[in-house]
Amino acid sequence: MKAINTDLPVRISEPFANLLASLVKDVDGHAVTLNFRDESYSAEAGGYRPVEIRLEWHTEQWQINYITEFCYVGTGYFAELAKAIEFDFGSGIFQTNFGVFAIEIAQGMYTIWEPNFMSYYEMGVFKTTVTPE
């Protein structure tokens, strides 16, 4: 199985890296986008927020370029998906509704985000798509 680089400014767990590696084990491209969607998620009913993860192939391993979680902003016909949290390793930034910060300060938020995501994934709430480039 192709390795996921875990040498990042934010500590990525081995189970999370293994999950990503298993999802991209058959990808031969130079980049891949993973989308995790709760098909029942809506602005009115809520649900599990969609997540997008982009990996890029560098030096014999996959690098996590970014992890983005989206949420609905607004209601009814005016609701639209917007970034709620982004760990952008490629640009070295961490973005929330409170602003843009250096990625190094994201560890506290990431420590909460990752186990929640893993739990939701293990519960089977997401439809996962793998889009290679």
Side-chain angles (χ1 to χ4, degrees), residues 98-120:
F98 299 110
V100 178
F101 309 94
I103 191 72
E104 291 80 9
I105 70 160
Q107 186 62 55
M109 178 62 81
Y110 188 83
T111 301
I112 296 167
W113 180 87
E114 185 191 284
N116 285 333
F117 172 82
M118 292 294 289
S119 294
Y120 304 151

Side-chain angles (χ1 to χ4, degrees), residues 34-132:
L34 306 171
N35 287 287
F36 303 87
R37 303 277 189 254
D38 168 7
E39 293 181 321
S40 65
Y41 179 65
S42 70
E44 292 77 26
Y48 299 92
R49 293 176 172 182
V51 172
E52 182 173 290
I53 301 173
R54 180 168 173 87
L55 305 173
E56 296 178 351
W57 185 253
H58 295 282
T59 321
E60 303 301 315
Q61 62 185 349
W62 288 107
Q63 305 279 340
I64 301 172
N65 187 264
Y66 64 78
I67 300 170
T68 305
E69 181 177 290
F70 298 89
C71 68
Y72 276 107
V73 176
T75 58
Y77 293 112
F78 299 105
E80 63 182 357
L81 279 175
K83 288 181 187 178
I85 300 169
E86 183 167 57
F87 305 96
D88 188 338
F89 301 104
S91 298
I93 61 172
F94 167 56
Q95 183 176 346
T96 70
N97 295 339
F98 299 110
V100 178
F101 309 94
I103 191 72
E104 291 80 9
I105 70 160
Q107 186 62 55
M109 178 62 81
Y110 188 83
T111 301
I112 296 167
W113 180 87
E114 185 191 284
N116 285 333
F117 172 82
M118 292 294 289
S119 294
Y120 304 151
Y121 183 83
E122 291 165 5
M123 290 169 28
V125 301
F126 293 125
K127 175 184 177 192
T128 305
T129 57
V130 177
T131 308

